[in-house]
Amino acid sequence: MAHLMRSTPYMVHTTFQYGGAQGKRHRLREGMMWEDAPEYYAGPDFLTYELDLPRALVYPNGGTVGSDGTLPFDKRATVEQHFALVHHQLAQVRNGLALAKATGRILILPRLVCGLDRWWAPHSGIIPGSAARLPLLDCPADHVLDVERMGKVEPLLREHSFLCNPRTPASVRGSVVRLAGTPPDLRGGDTSPAAAAAAAASGRSRPISAAAASREACGSGASASGR
């Protein structure tokens, strides 16, 4: 609602989320409204990647895309199309976590996209009575990841807005090593340390970006590729 009204809230209630206390904390971190200890932002080492988002998955039913990247409600995704979009992204998150583990780094999640909203009861695509627009270009991580069951997520991952957060030191935000691509054997499912060795050669104490720095996504919403 604050995004739609282009206003800054003075109070936030973390309701309608799906990860218990951990989910609430992560949701506030995504909004850069949760202040962690300095070491949370300083390191040790991070990894991020550019999310592959084919346009055909984000906008499977065509329609005129608005300036905010959303569609008319009658062009929303079906349940099957929503899951196809989410599963495509989850496979990349899985590989990102494997690569981060193999290289001794913490994964910075990408900005996820959901075709439909999430709710505890049957709905037509958005929470009844809400003003949400589809697709959700800022889909909260707790919509698709069980952060509560993951337990203590801090050793594993950071929120998508991490490199946009002014609490993150400039030494971290401004020191990014870019890799041209991901090793082919990782795309095939090999998550062994040997398969990720090439990524580890880029140095320590700097975020590795597997394609492009996620600092470029500090605006609102993700973007789909032309495929």
Side-chain angles (χ1 to χ4, degrees):
M1 183 61 71
H3 291 296
L4 293 177
M5 298 181 66
R6 300 182 184 277
S7 60
T8 301
Y10 62 88
M11 182 180 294
V12 175
H13 180 200
T14 50
T15 187
F16 299 156
Q17 59 81 39
Y18 306 92
Q22 187 66 263
K24 293 184 178 184
R25 187 159 44 245
H26 193 87
R27 189 77 73 92
L28 290 172
R29 284 170 172 163
E30 290 178 329
M32 296 183 284
M33 292 181 284
W34 183 273
E35 185 171 358
D36 284 282
E39 53 267 25
Y40 178 86
Y41 307 98
D45 308 297
F46 304 101
L47 180 142
T48 185
Y49 64 91
E50 183 181 7
L51 187 65
D52 176 62
L53 275 178
R55 187 180 182 87
L57 286 179
V58 180
Y59 306 111
N61 300 318
T64 301
V65 180
S67 59
D68 61 352
T70 63
L71 290 167
F73 191 67
D74 63 348
K75 294 296 184 180
R76 67 192 182 280
T78 64
V79 173
E80 292 78 12
Q81 291 167 340
H82 162 76
F83 277 112
L85 170 61
V86 169
H87 289 167
H88 181 72
Q89 296 169 87
L90 285 178
Q92 297 172 70
V93 172
R94 175 201 61 197
N95 290 344
L97 284 168
L99 182 58
K101 181 178 180 180
T103 56
R105 294 176 179 267
I106 295 172
L107 178 67
I108 301 173
L109 289 173
R111 191 189 302 267
L112 301 173
V113 176
C114 293
L116 302 173
D117 205 349
R118 182 173 177 179
W119 182 240
W120 288 282
H123 62 89
S124 60
I126 62 175
I127 296 175
S130 79
R133 298 172 182 172
L134 300 174
L136 298 179
L137 300 179
D138 283 296
C139 190
D142 62 87
H143 268 35
V144 296
L145 296 175
D146 193 345
V147 293
E148 183 177 29
R149 183 169 293 184
M150 291 172 70
K152 191 174 179 62
V153 300
E154 289 78 9
L156 300 174
L157 54 83
R158 294 290 185 269
E159 63 280 2
H160 70 77
S161 57
F162 180 76
L163 292 180
C164 306
N165 197 322
R167 299 181 184 92
T168 302
S171 59
V172 174
R173 289 184 283 112
S175 181
V176 178
V177 174
R178 294 176 177 84
L179 300 183
T182 305
D185 45 1
L186 274 184
R187 288 198 295 268
D190 183 357
T191 57
S192 67
S202 57
R204 309 297 295 173
S205 300
R206 291 182 290 179
I208 293 178
S209 174
S214 64
R215 291 178 299 161
E216 298 169 2
C218 289
S220 61
S223 59
S225 66
R227 294 188 289 112

